[in-house]
Amino acid sequence: MNYTLDDLKYLMARLRKPDTGCPWDLKQDFASIVPHTLEEAYEVADAIEREDYPHLKGELGDLLFQVVFYSQLGAEQGHFEFDGIVDNLVRKLVRRHPHVFPEGTLASEVDPDNRPTEAEIKASWERIKAEERAAAPQQDSGSAPASRLDGIARTLPAMARAEKLQRRASHHGFDWPTVEPVFDKLHEEIDELKEAWHAAQSGSGDPAAVADELGDLLFVCVNLARFMKVNPEQALNGTNHKFEARFRAIEAQLAREGRDLDAESLEALDEIWQSVKGVEKQRDR
């Protein structure tokens, strides 16, 4: 017999039962669980990246448990319940996919000979999301007026949030027409970073300006990735893996030769680095 989602919800309620539940689970609240949710999401992504599907099953279960935990807290505080989360999600997805559910119900079917184009589907998706944002209750943001950038979570990783901000602005016409001006902007930001760095080193500039200019440079790099339809997070992860593999190869070669990495000159290490790169190129041909 396999356990079901109802069993998982019952288990969660038992963990939170005041007199007989788990002391750790009873201490948690919405805010305290967030770090665990982020960790579980990254572990799911890591398992997918490594194509470790046997472990992915368990990681997805851990992530699902986070949702069930939040739904239990919501029910206890009278905010929402799990069934309400599911209902809200299904209604939203049906509404956002009129090209699949033309009558706005799960039972409705689309005519396969009259399907919209991918461009039409994308335009419809953005229009529906914009209508949802306009209809949603406004969060208390002090004196800040409503913006087309509302709804982009501030807690997103900086690179992902930069891409979302750029993409949202682009949908409203605020964008370069081609990739060439982005390259120009990249060189401009590099020059400004150099100027800020040299000024800070000489004592005539503000050290905070270096971080500001570096942020501008990274923002342009994300813009460049967006134009090239490259996921910047994945691209950087790929480079991280490549650097790690090459560095480990240097360590392995030095160990085989009985040499100490910390005692080697930069020139000697770079020579091995170039050798490792050459082996990679030969292997990839």
Side-chain angles (χ1 to χ4, degrees), residues 5-276:
L5 183 56
D6 285 338
D7 293 321
L8 179 59
K9 291 160 58 180
Y10 173 73
L11 179 149
M12 185 71 253
R14 288 283 303 276
L15 292 176
R16 289 281 298 180
K17 193 172 182 179
D19 296 332
T20 59
C22 171
W24 185 89
D25 291 281
L26 286 166
K27 289 193 302 183
Q28 305 311 310
D29 56 26
F30 283 109
S32 69
I33 302 174
V34 169
H36 302 284
T37 307
L38 295 174
E39 180 180 347
E40 298 299 351
Y42 280 119
E43 289 179 357
V44 166
D46 180 65
I48 292 172
E49 183 175 327
R50 292 184 287 104
E51 298 184 355
D52 186 358
Y53 300 115
H55 282 96
L56 177 59
K57 177 181 178 181
E59 299 298 352
L60 287 171
D62 293 341
L63 188 58
L64 174 60
F65 181 70
Q66 301 297 304
V67 177
V68 172
F69 207 140
Y70 287 121
S71 70
Q72 177 66 29
L73 293 176
E76 291 172 2
Q77 298 177 26
H79 299 312
F80 51 79
E81 296 186 359
F82 185 85
D83 290 347
I85 295 173
V86 174
D87 179 73
N88 183 72
L89 175 61
V90 173
R91 290 177 185 277
K92 179 174 66 176
L93 293 177
V94 168
R95 183 173 62 249
R96 290 183 179 180
H97 293 80
H99 51 287
V100 179
F101 310 103
E103 297 174 14
T105 67
L106 281 177
S108 60
E109 294 281 350
V110 68
D111 181 359
D113 297 324
N114 193 31
R115 290 176 57 83
T117 66
E118 186 175 343
E120 290 172 335
I121 291 173
K122 184 177 180 180
S124 172
W125 176 274
E126 294 300 335
R127 175 183 55 77
I128 293 170
K129 288 184 67 176
E131 291 172 352
E132 291 173 351
R133 288 193 295 270
Q138 295 298 311
Q139 296 181 345
D140 184 11
S141 56
S143 59
S147 168
R148 289 173 174 80
L149 299 180
D150 287 344
I152 300 177
R154 293 182 177 273
T155 51
L156 279 172
M159 191 171 292
R161 189 162 193 267
E163 196 274 338
K164 279 185 171 290
L165 288 168
Q166 294 167 6
R167 185 150 40 89
R168 181 76 64 80
S170 176
H171 290 152
H172 298 283
F174 191 73
D175 203 358
W176 282 291
T178 68
V179 72
E180 292 304 323
V182 189
F183 278 115
D184 295 337
K185 188 65 175 176
L186 181 67
H187 293 298
E188 176 187 326
E189 295 297 347
I190 290 173
D191 290 339
E192 291 180 359
L193 177 58
K194 285 181 179 179
E195 182 179 342
W197 169 252
H198 290 307
Q201 291 298 104
S202 68
S204 63
D206 182 3
V210 176
D212 186 60
E213 295 297 346
L214 184 58
D216 291 346
L217 178 59
L218 293 172
F219 194 82
V220 174
C221 287
V222 173
N223 236 329
L224 193 61
R226 182 174 59 87
F227 265 87
M228 295 180 170
K229 302 187 184 308
V230 172
N231 184 298
E233 186 71 22
Q234 292 178 355
L236 184 56
N237 267 332
T239 298
N240 288 341
H241 295 326
K242 182 168 57 178
F243 176 86
E244 181 180 6
R246 290 175 179 174
F247 191 85
R248 288 178 180 272
I250 291 174
E251 291 178 313
Q253 179 170 330
L254 291 173
R256 287 193 301 269
E257 298 173 0
R259 298 158 63 185
D260 181 4
L261 185 145
D262 293 333
E264 296 293 328
S265 67
L266 177 59
E267 290 75 12
L269 296 177
D270 186 61
E271 182 178 347
I272 303 175
W273 176 275
Q274 296 301 328
S275 174
V276 170

